[in-house]
Amino acid sequence: MDLDALRSFLAFVETGSFTRAAMQMHRTQSAISMQMKKLQQDVGQALFVKQGRQLTLTAEGVILAGYARQIIHLQEHAIANLSTTAPLVLLHLGCPDDYAESILPTLVQLLHQHIERLELNITCASSPELQQLLDQGLLDLAVVTRTPQTEEGYLLCHDKGVWVGTQDTKLLSLHTLPIAVFKRDCRYHQAAIEGLIKQQRAFKVIANSSSASALRGLIKAELAIGAMANLSRNDLPIIENPQLPFLPNVEIVVVKSNAKACAISDERLHFITQRFQSEFKFP
């Protein structure tokens, strides 16, 4: 079996999309389809089945995914062990700004503990923007949020959305509620806006921002209340008010690029995320 085809197959398994797999592998979608056709011929089994409009793995596809990960790991392990000197490891890591003060420090510490001669470049952007950069091969790893129903990436921790404001805020009594939220591609932005509309609650968006510190500054100045992740609020008090819309729970994961250039193996990343779960201290 061709190693490139196995990498493309794992890219589909990870993303659930031939389009995203093609972007990550820097190939056309038709080239990925040809690789999958040849891979099915090699194993003599159907690897995909259509369920409605979605393409999913057959039982044989699931089995192959396990073997593919082992094969790719063995290749990476062999190359690493046969190298005479430890090379400089360059990693491009993406992280949402709202997790830069909570998740990022522990993750960076673990990466440096378990990767020799690591040179780390960090990009802060929203989860959707980071996923696009990952698909384009511009990032090796990205910390993103996912819904509990998906399996993309390696789990770091769970988080929940909360409403925040200053202690004893009077803003809730206003006829038009002022809110400050992340940009439109944020889950909490969508949940807050849609929830208030469904409640027929008058509100005004004071500001949209990709910066957690900017939102916290507006909230501390009593210009608005905010909807954000619990791990993003720092010392801002949580507003416990049943009249405010529910904000969703999320899982925070680190996603690895399936491109050849990625310098960290799945096995090592899995180990690091397990260490993260045991060492991370919730604020």
Side-chain angles (χ1 to χ4, degrees), residues 5 8-9 18 32-40 48:
S8 297
F9 176 66
F18 279 131
I32 296 293
S33 298
M34 289 295 294
Q35 282 186 317
M36 297 306 98
K37 183 177 179 181
K38 178 65 166 57
L39 195 58
Q40 290 186 120
F48 310 97

Side-chain angles (χ1 to χ4, degrees), residues 20-283:
R20 288 187 63 192
M23 291 178 65
Q24 291 192 2
M25 300 305 295
H26 304 289
R27 294 177 179 270
T28 63
Q29 194 165 336
S30 60
I32 296 293
S33 298
M34 289 295 294
Q35 282 186 317
M36 297 306 98
K37 183 177 179 181
K38 178 65 166 57
L39 195 58
Q40 290 186 120
Q41 292 174 349
D42 289 343
V43 300
Q45 299 283 351
L47 301 175
F48 310 97
V49 61
K50 200 163 187 179
Q51 293 185 344
R53 299 177 64 182
Q54 299 294 320
L55 202 63
T56 60
L57 295 180
T58 62
E60 292 77 15
V62 173
I63 293 172
L64 179 62
Y67 282 118
R69 288 191 176 93
Q70 294 180 50
I71 292 169
I72 298 301
H73 166 66
L74 284 173
Q75 184 213 27
E76 293 172 343
H77 190 64
I79 292 173
N81 283 341
L82 291 172
S83 176
T84 55
T85 59
L88 183 69
V89 178
L90 176 62
L91 277 182
H92 295 274
L93 171 66
C95 180
D97 179 75
D98 46 324
Y99 291 125
E101 296 177 61
S102 53
I103 298 292
L104 192 59
T106 302
L107 180 58
V108 168
Q109 183 180 29
L110 288 170
L111 288 171
H112 276 283
Q113 285 177 0
H114 298 285
I115 301 176
E116 292 183 14
R117 301 192 67 207
L118 174 63
E119 181 177 330
L120 194 60
N121 291 331
I122 298 174
T123 299
C124 285
S126 67
S127 288
E129 289 172 330
L130 292 175
Q131 287 171 321
Q132 290 179 6
L133 293 173
L134 200 71
D135 290 345
Q136 294 166 9
L138 300 177
L139 291 176
D140 298 298
L141 302 172
V143 176
V144 300
T145 57
R146 73 178 185 191
T147 54
Q149 292 77 25
T150 62
E151 294 297 329
E152 186 175 11
Y154 293 88
L155 180 66
L156 293 172
C157 63
H158 296 84
D159 200 3
K160 63 179 182 179
V162 291
W163 289 94
V164 293
T166 57
Q167 196 73 36
D168 302 321
T169 180
K170 303 297 190 296
L171 298 179
L172 292 175
S173 62
L174 297 179
H175 177 265
T176 301
L177 180 68
I179 63 172
V181 287
F182 288 105
K183 291 189 175 180
R184 289 177 175 81
D185 54 9
C186 172
R187 300 177 194 275
Y188 302 124
H189 175 111
Q190 298 170 4
I193 299 297
E194 292 174 7
L196 290 169
I197 291 173
K198 287 178 182 178
Q199 290 181 352
Q200 298 183 340
R201 175 76 181 269
F203 68 93
K204 179 181 180 181
V205 178
I206 296 299
N208 301 291
S209 177
S210 60
S211 168
S213 58
L215 293 180
R216 289 193 296 265
L218 296 175
I219 295 165
K220 288 178 180 179
E222 289 244 55
L223 296 178
I225 66 169
M228 60 178 59
N230 185 48
L231 286 173
S232 307
R233 66 182 178 88
N234 285 9
D235 57 348
L236 282 172
I238 296 175
I239 300 175
E240 301 286 359
N241 188 313
Q243 294 182 347
L244 290 172
F246 172 78
L247 299 176
N249 297 324
V250 296
E251 293 176 342
I252 305 170
V253 300
V254 59
V255 181
K256 173 179 173 288
S257 171
N258 288 293
K260 291 182 181 179
C262 187
I264 183 170
S265 68
D266 286 284
E267 181 185 49
R268 179 168 292 186
L269 184 59
H270 180 54
F271 174 78
I272 289 172
T273 55
Q274 286 184 317
R275 288 288 306 274
F276 183 97
Q277 292 174 34
S278 64
E279 295 184 14
F280 180 65
K281 307 299 182 184
F282 284 87

